[in-house]
Amino acid sequence: MKKTKATKLMDAIASLCKRRGFIFQSSDIYGGIAGFWDYGPLGTELKRNIRESWWKSIVQTHENVVGLDSSIIMHPRVWEASGHIGGFSDPMVDCKSCKKRFKADGLCEEQGEDLITTEKGFALPENIKCPNCGSRELTEPRDFDLMFKTFIGPVEDDSARAYLRPETAQGIFTQFSNVLATSRQKIPFGIAQIGKAFRNEINPRNFTFRSREFEQMELEFFVEPGTSEKWHTYWLEERLKWYEKVGLSSDNIHKDVHPKDKLAHYATACVDVAYDFPFGRQELEGVAARGCFDLTQHQECSGKSLEYTDQETNERYIPHVIEPSAGVDRIALALICEAYHVEWLPKKNDSGLEPLEAEPGLRAPDGYEERTVLRFAPTIAPIKVAVFPLLKNKPELVSKARELFEQLQAIWPCFWDQTGAIGRRYRRQDEIGTPYAVTIDFDTLEDNTITLRERDSMKQIRVPINELISILSEKLK
Ligand code: GAP
C-alpha cells in the first residue's frame, strides 16, 4: 500500500524517537509486544516534565487540590460499582478473510457510516468493508472486554480474580472520605492523581497514541450540587491554558463538545480537548461533569456513607464531580509531533538561497543541508543546556568546560559532548530539542566569555561566563 504523507511523517517521528532514545518498543529484543512502549532516557525526562508541569498547575497552585497515589489493583467490587465489570467493553468485528480485528464504531466512522444499535447490541451497516483487505465478509459486532485480569494469591479461581485498573479515577473516589477527613479540605476541593492505567485495547495504533498500558493524570474536583456548570467551565479553561503553556499551539488544539444525546447516562457535560496529530484530530483529554454518579455507586456498593456535611449550613449531600482526565503518553506524543521540524538550510551563508521546509521522505536539493529540530518549549525540553569544549584534546579547554558543566548540571538537566565538529554537535542537540548550547573556546581562556547558541534561530552570542546562569535562568523560565 502507498504511504500517505501523514504515515511518512509518523514513520519519521517514530524513527527519531527510537534513534535518539525517546521511545522504544517494549521487549524490543524479542520482537516487541503490541500496545506496550518503553521510554528511553530522553522520553523519561520529557514525561517527567509533563507530569511536573501538570502537578504544579493542578495541585501546587490550587490550595484546594491535594494529591493521592492509590494502588493499581483494587478490590474487585470497586469495578462492579464503577460499572467497568460487564460494562467496559468495545463492540468489535473480525474480518473473516484476513483475520484482522477492528473496533466496530471506528470502522463505521472511517467509512462515513453509523454503527447500528439493535435490541441485542450492535449491527454493521451493509456496505462496510475491511480496511485491510477490502473484504465485505465481516463478523457481527461482539463485545470485547477491555479489563486486564489477574489473580491474587496462589489459587487461580474466580474468588481470586482481580483487575489492573483501567483508570486512576476510582482510586480517588474510594479514598474520598479518608482524604476529606485528613486534609481539612472543604467543598469545593479536588484530589489529583498521576499513575498507570491498563486497557486491553482491540487495536492499539498510531504509535503510542492508543496503548494497552498508559499513564493518566486525573483530577476529581468535588463540588456542591448546582455548581457543576461553573466549575466545568473553570477547569476546561485552566486546561486549555496549560496546553498552550507547554507548547501546543492553540491552532492545533480544539474543544470537541459531546452532544447531550451522546453523553454517558450520568454525565451532564463533556468536552474533549483534541489535538491535530498528523493522523488526524484526536482526544488528549476529557473534561467531564460526572454528577454524583461515582460516589453514589460506591456508597451503595460499600454500604459506607460518602455524604458530605456542610459545616456552616449543616446541609448533607453527595458531592458532584468535575473530572479533567488526561493521558501523559498522548500529550508526550502531541508535544513531539508539534516540536518536530525538518528544514533545508543553505550550506553557504552567502549563497543567496532561502531556507526551505523539507518534504518528508525527500532529500535536500543541491546547495542545501537538512536540519531536524525538535522545537520544544524550554520547560518541556528533556535537556536544557549542552556544554561543549571546542577541542577535546586541549586539557585547558576541557577542564574549564567541565567546571562550567558541573555548575549548570546542579541546576538543569545538561548534556556534555566533546566529540566531533562543533556544527555536528549543535545538530545532535537540535534533534533532541535542547534549547541552548554553550561552547568554551580559546577566547574563553583569555576573556572569560563563552558562545551561547540558541536552537531555533541558531544565533550565537558572546556572554561573560559569570553572567551565564542568570541569562539562562531568564531564558529557560
Ligand atoms: N476517568 C475517565 C477516563 O478514564 P477516558 O477518556 O477513558 O476517561 C482519559 O481516558 C484519557 O486517558 C484520554 O483522554 C487519553 O488521554 C488517555 N487514554 C485513554 N485510553 C488510552 C489508551 N488506550 N492509550 C493511551 N492513552 C489513553
Side-chain angles (χ1 to χ4, degrees):
M1 216 173 4
K2 210 167 166 248
K3 284 193 174 176
T4 62
K5 207 171 164 180
T7 313
K8 281 189 202 157
L9 182 55
M10 282 314 294
D11 286 352
I13 289 173
S15 147
L16 179 136
C17 284
K18 179 164 187 190
R19 193 160 28 87
R20 300 311 312 270
F22 281 90
I23 303 171
F24 308 125
Q25 262 215 325
S26 164
S27 322
D28 205 7
I29 57 169
Y30 290 96
I33 169 168
F36 298 90
W37 300 94
D38 294 343
Y39 288 78
L42 295 176
T44 305
E45 290 292 335
L46 177 66
K47 280 207 343 180
R48 207 166 62 83
N49 293 339
I50 295 169
R51 284 190 218 105
E52 276 177 13
S53 174
W54 184 88
W55 196 260
K56 190 169 180 188
S57 84
I58 300 277
V59 184
Q60 192 182 323
T61 55
H62 286 92
E63 58 186 316
N64 59 350
V65 179
V66 292
L68 182 76
D69 189 356
S70 70
S71 64
I72 285 173
I73 294 179
M74 299 167 72
H75 197 292
R77 293 199 53 212
V78 168
W79 308 112
E80 284 169 27
S82 68
H84 284 87
I85 292 182
F88 195 51
S89 55
D90 273 337
M92 55 91 189
V93 292
D94 291 314
C95 172
K96 291 182 187 167
S97 172
C98 71
K99 312 290 179 216
K100 288 248 179 213
R101 179 168 285 179
F102 306 96
K103 256 172 114 165
D105 55 352
L107 194 61
C108 295
E109 200 181 306
E110 277 162 22
Q111 297 178 30
E113 302 275 354
D114 280 330
L115 186 63
I116 302 164
T117 312
T118 65
E119 271 181 16
K120 285 194 194 143
F122 297 101
L124 284 183
E126 248 176 34
N127 41 359
I128 296 295
K129 56 183 184 197
C130 170
N132 185 51
C133 70
S135 162
R136 287 180 200 275
E137 291 282 299
L138 300 166
T139 62
E140 281 304 305
R142 275 176 303 175
D143 270 346
F144 181 83
D145 187 0
L146 298 183
M147 298 277 277
F148 270 106
K149 296 164 200 74
T150 185
F151 297 94
I152 299 173
V155 183
E156 298 194 358
D157 64 14
D158 275 354
S159 66
R161 190 185 291 276
Y163 302 89
L164 304 192
R165 66 181 177 201
E167 60 175 16
T168 65
Q170 299 305 324
I172 299 180
F173 295 127
T174 53
Q175 290 298 355
F176 169 74
S177 314
N178 282 334
V179 175
L180 182 63
T182 52
S183 63
R184 304 187 63 219
Q185 290 288 343
K186 285 193 293 197
I187 295 271
F189 84 100
I191 307 176
Q193 161 151 249
I194 301 179
K196 288 273 182 148
F198 303 81
R199 295 183 190 176
N200 197 3
E201 297 283 358
I202 301 162
N203 208 359
R205 67 196 158 118
N206 289 329
F207 197 15
T208 56
F209 179 82
R210 190 175 304 287
S211 306
R212 291 179 165 139
E213 175 177 339
F214 54 95
E215 212 173 345
Q216 288 187 315
M217 306 189 287
E218 298 199 287
L219 165 68
E220 307 302 326
F221 194 75
F222 301 97
V223 304
E224 196 183 340
T227 62
S228 284
E229 203 177 323
K230 173 179 100 183
W231 286 110
H232 186 254
T233 308
Y234 172 80
W235 282 110
L236 180 59
E237 288 311 312
E238 284 290 286
R239 297 302 302 133
L240 290 169
K241 277 189 250 163
W242 183 83
Y243 281 105
E244 226 175 304
K245 200 168 134 198
V246 293
L248 296 182
S249 144
S250 54
D251 292 344
N252 293 332
I253 287 282
H254 307 275
K255 289 191 276 188
D256 282 350
V257 181
H258 289 214
K260 288 267 182 233
D261 61 334
K262 295 254 166 85
L263 288 173
H265 61 94
Y266 50 81
T268 51
C270 186
V271 178
D272 287 343
V273 179
Y275 177 73
D276 289 325
F277 284 96
F279 45 85
R281 183 185 296 184
Q282 297 285 349
E283 173 191 336
L284 291 179
E285 166 162 2
V287 183
R290 299 176 65 101
C292 58
F293 174 76
D294 305 275
L295 291 182
T296 307
Q297 285 293 106
H298 286 301
Q299 173 167 287
E300 273 174 22
C301 290
S302 68
K304 304 272 163 33
S305 169
L306 295 176
E307 276 187 341
Y308 174 81
T309 307
D310 187 313
Q311 299 296 332
E312 281 161 27
T313 61
N314 260 342
E315 197 193 341
R316 286 167 71 84
Y317 57 85
I318 294 196
H320 284 210
V321 169
I322 307 300
E323 179 196 65
S325 170
V328 182
D329 310 81
R330 286 193 185 173
I331 294 171
L333 185 60
L335 287 167
I336 293 172
C337 291
E338 177 97 12
Y340 182 83
H341 284 88
V342 184
E343 312 167 331
W344 288 332
L345 301 174
K347 278 187 185 155
K348 290 191 183 131
N349 286 344
D350 56 1
S351 62
L353 297 171
E354 288 294 319
L356 301 171
E357 191 158 327
E359 288 278 329
L362 293 188
R363 279 201 171 165
D366 284 348
Y368 284 90
E369 60 182 351
E370 191 163 289
R371 172 171 101 121
T372 303
V373 53
L374 288 183
R375 294 204 177 121
F376 286 129
T379 43
I380 286 301
I383 306 287
K384 313 293 182 200
V385 192
V387 180
F388 311 146
L390 183 65
L391 298 169
K392 72 171 177 192
N393 55 2
K394 295 285 172 209
E396 59 281 33
L397 290 183
V398 174
S399 74
K400 185 91 183 163
R402 203 68 216 169
E403 197 186 311
L404 179 65
F405 173 69
E406 277 159 25
Q407 272 180 34
L408 298 179
Q409 204 186 23
I411 312 173
W412 299 288
C414 293
F415 198 95
W416 171 261
D417 192 356
Q418 58 179 22
T419 46
I422 211 79
R424 289 257 292 285
R425 283 185 253 171
Y426 285 142
R427 290 287 191 274
R428 288 202 284 258
Q429 294 305 311
D430 291 343
E431 217 185 17
I432 62 169
T434 307
Y436 294 98
V438 172
T439 303
I440 280 76
D441 56 21
F442 292 104
D443 288 345
T444 316
L445 303 178
E446 298 288 312
D447 62 5
N448 264 323
T449 62
I450 51 88
T451 299
L452 180 62
R453 188 252 194 192
E454 203 264 336
R455 177 196 65 202
D456 295 344
S457 64
M458 295 182 288
K459 289 219 169 86
Q460 303 186 8
I461 53 170
R462 220 49 212 178
V463 166
I465 206 161
N466 59 3
E467 287 176 24
L468 181 64
I469 290 180
S470 74
I471 293 172
L472 282 174
S473 304
E474 191 54 38
K475 287 183 181 292
L476 291 169
K477 238 193 231 164

